[in-house]
Amino acid sequence: MYTQAFDIVVAGETSPVADDGDVQTAFLARIARDEKIEPQDAMPEAYRKTLIRQISQHAHSEVVGMLPEGGWITRAPSLKRKEILLAKVQDEGGHGLYLYSAAETLGVTRESLVEALHAGKAKYSSIFNYPTETWADIGTIGWLVDGAAIMNQVPLCRCSYGPYARAMIRICKEESFHQRQGFDIVRSLCEGTPAQKAMAQESINRWWWPTLMMFGPHDSDSTHTGEATDWGIKRISNDALRQKFVDVTVPQAAFLGLTLPDSAIMWNAERGHYDFGKIDWDEFWRVVKGDGPCNAARVSDRVAAFDEGRWVREAAAAHAAKSALSKASLKVAA
Ligand code: BYC
């Protein structure tokens, strides 16, 4: 996917940087024509940096996002649910890999990005710092969290940076399956016994507000939206996406017979949208800054998984080297 650029940036080096005025003007003109920027193209340093920031945070979110659901693979209530969850968690790992690859085209090494995550210096989505206490949480994550992720990520398929936009197309296709499997779990619980329905309701009560926080701070507090919009990275603002998410989710909750934990939710005919209540931004920033219920556990679990998986990476690399060598010697013999 990333070899469409012939003159790809070598990891550890930086892309051609366009910080003089003329090249900046040419860059902005390309953005205005909706052309894709590719790794070998000249680009302003600030554009490159913001892409590395966002794409790496996104990659970390996918990989850390495997943890809250991964813990339920052995506890899934049936073989079918176990198989589905296993495939979903594996997909998230794959998304992380596409995204680390997209970030690498901007001249950073994957090792440096992973190191920052393990040192607790890199951000990832706030949502993954909340615990998965019941099986219903697995349904809620698929329905609400993947639903919010799709809302945010579909516009990124049209983002100006080619490798990120192309990665997002595949990711969004897979995320839509994830969202449907989550909805299916919640629907089964809602159609089950009163205790199962209560489990679904209790889960929605805990996850609703953190899901709304996933879209990021209010537009007025969003430091990056202005430039990211000018550069064709962000197509729709944090608040506009949050509103779209509320508008599609309220009728889904009604269909399921669930109550969203916000008494301010009400259709506003004048605006043509649902009104909703105030988000607790203190909680959001606390979690983003490392003080959420699971921040410390998520980072230490990631470090442990990385260390325990070292032998697998080494074995795969040794196997690849051996295969390449035997292919080369077969060629010489032929
Ligand atoms: N959590 O200026 P703003 C998934 C930070 S994975 C933590 O609005 P921007 C899934 C922001 O980074 C879903 N931090 O930023 C996986 C910035 O801090 P820095 C992940 C947040 O970038 C497994 C500061 O707040 N999706 O779907 O314009 C299982 C100011 O914010 C958050 C993506 O990563 C947050 N929620 O907009 C299931 C999508 N929000 O960097 C599902 C790609 C904001 O200055 N990312 N911050 O230190 C984006 O679209 C944008 O980066 C955001 C934020 C909308 C998230």
Side-chain angles (χ1 to χ4, degrees):
M1 178 187 285
Y2 301 110
T3 51
Q4 294 163 20
F6 292 118
D7 186 17
I8 220 126
V9 178
V10 176
E13 292 177 6
T14 52
S15 323
V17 169
D19 281 340
D20 76 80
D22 287 350
V23 193
Q24 287 260 15
T25 310
F27 169 82
L28 289 176
R30 290 189 63 190
I31 298 284
R33 289 194 299 272
D34 223 2
E35 286 176 21
K36 288 276 177 274
I37 307 298
E38 296 297 340
Q40 74 276 21
D41 295 340
M43 62 183 86
E45 179 62 5
Y47 175 79
R48 191 181 74 85
K49 280 203 171 133
T50 212
L51 279 170
I52 293 174
R53 179 189 65 80
Q54 178 167 326
I55 300 172
S56 63
Q57 287 177 0
H58 195 164
H60 298 326
S61 304
E62 299 283 356
V63 169
V64 175
M66 297 166 79
L67 296 169
E69 290 173 288
W72 277 92
I73 293 171
T74 53
R75 293 179 284 167
S78 70
L79 185 59
K80 183 180 151 205
R81 294 288 187 203
K82 192 191 291 274
E83 266 181 331
I84 294 170
L85 184 58
L86 195 58
K88 178 186 194 280
V89 172
Q90 196 174 336
D91 281 353
E92 312 296 358
H95 298 173
L97 298 186
Y98 313 151
L99 290 164
Y100 284 127
S101 298
E104 282 178 309
T105 65
L106 291 154
V108 277
T109 62
R110 185 177 306 207
E111 289 72 22
S112 67
L113 301 176
V114 171
E115 250 170 54
L117 175 68
H118 291 181
K121 292 182 191 152
K123 285 199 172 71
Y124 56 85
S125 183
S126 48
I127 194 74
F128 301 117
N129 292 309
Y130 290 86
T132 38
E133 293 173 3
T134 66
W135 170 251
D137 289 358
I138 301 306
T140 305
I141 289 181
W143 172 37
L144 294 184
V145 174
D146 285 278
I150 295 169
M151 196 57 88
N152 164 274
Q153 292 173 6
V154 166
L156 289 172
C157 298
R158 293 187 293 117
C159 122
S160 58
Y161 189 56
Y164 192 25
R166 290 190 287 274
M168 289 318 304
I169 292 170
R170 179 153 175 188
I171 291 176
C172 284
K173 284 190 179 153
E174 293 178 351
E175 296 287 20
S176 74
F177 278 106
H178 298 174
Q179 198 264 352
R180 282 179 233 177
Q181 69 85 36
F183 188 82
D184 188 59
I185 292 175
V186 179
R187 192 177 46 79
S188 298
L189 292 172
C190 289
E191 288 170 358
T193 63
Q196 286 171 324
K197 185 158 187 195
M199 187 197 274
Q201 181 63 60
E202 188 276 333
S203 173
I204 302 306
N205 293 348
R206 280 183 289 111
W207 287 88
W208 174 249
W209 289 105
T211 303
L212 293 190
M213 294 174 196
M214 278 177 76
F215 294 93
H218 271 319
D219 292 351
S220 52
D221 295 322
S222 167
T223 38
H224 302 292
T225 292
E227 279 185 329
T229 307
D230 293 347
W231 293 332
I233 299 169
K234 221 176 204 177
R235 301 282 177 174
I236 307 180
S237 78
N238 299 358
D239 284 334
L241 285 171
R242 193 170 6 250
Q243 181 69 65
K244 274 162 84 81
F245 175 75
V246 171
D247 289 347
V248 300
T249 309
V250 171
Q252 291 173 0
F255 171 83
L256 291 166
L258 293 170
T259 309
L260 296 172
D262 177 1
S263 56
I265 289 181
M266 202 172 297
W267 178 250
N268 182 327
E270 215 170 287
R271 292 199 310 121
H273 293 291
Y274 284 97
D275 289 336
F276 57 98
K278 280 194 173 39
I279 292 172
D280 181 349
W281 292 112
D282 289 342
E283 175 181 327
F284 170 74
W285 289 116
R286 253 196 331 272
V287 174
V288 169
K289 288 179 184 158
D291 198 16
C294 300
N295 295 59
R298 296 295 183 235
V299 173
S300 70
D301 287 352
R302 258 323 305 158
V303 173
F306 187 80
D307 290 344
E308 283 161 21
R310 189 179 307 279
W311 70 271
V312 180
R313 293 191 298 280
E314 286 173 359
H319 177 70
K322 215 171 148 186
S323 309
L325 204 66
S326 62
K327 265 190 204 146
S329 53
L330 277 175
K331 260 193 193 160
V332 171

